[in-house]
Amino acid sequence: MNILAPIKSALKATEGWNDKLIILFLFLFVFSSTFSIAVTQIAYFTALALWLFKMINERKPLVHSTPFDYYFLAFILAELLATIFSYNPSESLYYFHKRLVIIPIIYLLGYWLRSRQNLEATLIIYFLSIFIVSMYGVFDVGLHFKEYLHFERRVNLFQFYMTAGGLMMISALMILAFISHINIPKRLKWMGIITIVPVLISLLFTFTRSSWLGFIAGTALISYNRSKKIFVGLVIVLAIILLIVPPEFKDRIFSIVDPYHPTNVERLEMWQTGWKIFLDYPILGIGDVGIETYYQKYGPPGSNPAGHLHNNYINLLVKIGIIGFVIIMTLFIKIFVIEIKTANKYKNDWLINSTALGAAAAFIGFHVNGLFEWNFGDTEVIMFLWTTVGFTIAARSIATSEENKN
């Protein structure tokens, strides 16, 4: 069977020019999300506008509720309150709106991918896109191999290696969930195997330690649900890498657990500074703003002012206070519980199970990554994460619809 057949089938089954355009722009959104924020946003907002036009034209709310609705509303309220009482409301409003406008991604994908052919087609497009982008990374590694081996160069997709690390981590975990399912069609299994190789190579050579740890954590979750051999295989590969790479490469790996490494010392100083700021602004935080001004006051003498604190949780405490922090942590827990429950309920269904399990693994990876980075503030990464949540909502809707028919 042609691997692109589900894409053709999805477009053929979609009736009406407006609906076809929405699906096409969603395909473009997912395809471009691995390499261009500009194209991604154009495709996303166009699909969103067409969806709103359809609802206005048909005079009915063509949107499904999710288990997260009230949590998102509470988070928006917390951000709004932090913005109102911020020392710089205009800057806080700017970052607040950036977080707000990408939340509908979950609802858009959840509604329009609620058929097997649409979801499968979108996932194929996603894997094709990440394959192309990661091959670019592999090509650059091959071209400058000596520089990479001696930690003189990093895979720098999306103009920033940390963003590349986050995207590659999430993608690798999504793919791993699919290729490890026993019932996945062979054509897709081989597509996934071929795709994950360059993705992992690109991830490795971003040298983003937090993304490495996130991938290991997500792999542990997949291994626990599927086969312990997956994690054993990962450990063996890591051991081989440690044996053959040059000292500079090893230093990067072992620096993860070295409390005296300069970057680790700097992060500890940032976290301590963030905690001091939080203690003075515990309820609503300082607003969703850059921390440079406060860092000069609370940071170590002579330190360079930091715009963020390289930790999601401390950043959130500082920016939106304990109220917003508790709300968003509750939202995160709810998302993870829904993804795991969906994966466990439909273990034999390769599409539903792999989508939900991959999203759960990506979610774990994101939060481990977020222990050391402000990836919640990275629009490309958080947009990617909300996309995986949207995939899960669509998968859950498909399974529920099929159960109701039987």
Side-chain angles (χ1 to χ4, degrees), residues 226-383:
R226 292 277 167 78
S227 170
K228 308 303 181 289
K229 293 178 182 178
I230 297 172
F231 198 74
V232 171
L234 176 62
V235 171
I236 292 171
V237 170
L238 291 175
I240 293 171
I241 290 173
L242 283 172
L243 286 173
I244 64 175
V245 295
E248 299 93 333
F249 206 123
K250 287 180 182 177
D251 177 67
R252 186 62 182 170
I253 295 172
F254 286 117
S255 69
I256 294 172
V257 293
D258 180 2
Y260 302 106
H261 193 276
T263 58
N264 295 342
V265 170
E266 185 180 26
R267 275 172 169 74
L268 286 171
E269 289 179 349
M270 288 180 175
W271 301 344
Q272 291 166 356
T273 301
W275 185 250
K276 291 177 185 177
I277 299 171
F278 164 68
L279 291 178
D280 277 357
Y281 301 87
I283 307 302
L284 296 175
I286 65 172
D288 204 343
V289 296
I291 301 173
E292 295 91 343
T293 300
Y294 286 88
Y295 204 90
Q296 289 177 329
K297 178 182 177 181
Y298 290 88
S303 60
N304 293 321
H308 63 81
L309 302 168
H310 281 281
N311 180 288
N312 280 345
Y313 313 100
I314 296 176
N315 262 287
L316 289 168
L317 282 169
V318 168
K319 289 172 178 287
I320 56 178
I322 192 66
I323 294 175
F325 178 81
V326 169
I327 288 170
I328 199 163
M329 287 302 113
T330 307
L331 167 64
F332 287 154
I333 292 169
K334 184 68 175 179
I335 289 173
F336 180 71
V337 168
I338 291 295
E339 289 173 339
I340 284 295
K341 281 187 174 179
T342 303
N344 289 339
K345 187 175 181 180
Y346 304 101
K347 285 190 174 182
N348 295 324
D349 190 317
W350 71 268
L351 180 61
I352 308 302
N353 174 267
S354 299
T355 300
L357 183 59
F363 207 70
I364 287 291
F366 171 85
H367 286 292
V368 171
N369 188 187
L371 289 170
F372 310 98
E373 303 296 344
W374 175 227
N375 59 353
F376 188 78
D378 190 332
T379 301
E380 292 87 348
V381 174
I382 194 65
M383 187 179 286

Side-chain angles (χ1 to χ4, degrees), residues 95-114:
Y95 286 108
F96 168 42
H97 109 273
K98 286 184 70 175
R99 307 199 201 294
L100 177 64
V101 296
I102 60 175
I103 291 174
I105 288 171
I106 296 170
Y107 296 85
L108 190 62
L109 295 174
Y111 184 84
W112 287 97
L113 303 185
R114 67 191 192 282

Side-chain angles (χ1 to χ4, degrees), residues 146-154 207 248:
K146 188 176 180 180
E147 294 174 54
Y148 276 102
L149 274 184
H150 294 283
F151 190 42
E152 296 170 353
R153 190 180 179 94
R154 307 170 80 161
F207 292 107
E248 299 93 333

Side-chain angles (χ1 to χ4, degrees), residues 85-156:
F85 292 98
S86 172
Y87 85 99
N88 190 342
S90 60
E91 183 182 347
S92 185
L93 183 63
Y94 170 74
Y95 286 108
F96 168 42
H97 109 273
K98 286 184 70 175
R99 307 199 201 294
L100 177 64
V101 296
I102 60 175
I103 291 174
I105 288 171
I106 296 170
Y107 296 85
L108 190 62
L109 295 174
Y111 184 84
W112 287 97
L113 303 185
R114 67 191 192 282
S115 71
R116 283 186 177 271
Q117 55 196 12
N118 283 5
L119 180 58
E120 185 178 341
T122 307
L123 287 165
I124 288 173
I125 289 169
Y126 174 41
F127 293 160
L128 282 172
S129 176
I130 200 66
F131 173 75
I132 294 169
V133 171
S134 61
M135 282 301 296
Y136 175 83
V138 171
F139 176 77
D140 193 67
V141 170
L143 201 61
H144 306 278
F145 190 60
K146 188 176 180 180
E147 294 174 54
Y148 276 102
L149 274 184
H150 294 283
F151 190 42
E152 296 170 353
R153 190 180 179 94
R154 307 170 80 161
V155 169
N156 204 20

Side-chain angles (χ1 to χ4, degrees), residues 204-221:
L204 177 64
F205 286 102
T206 62
F207 292 107
T208 49
R209 300 168 299 172
S210 55
S211 294
W212 293 348
L213 291 174
F215 175 72
I216 291 170
T219 301
L221 178 67

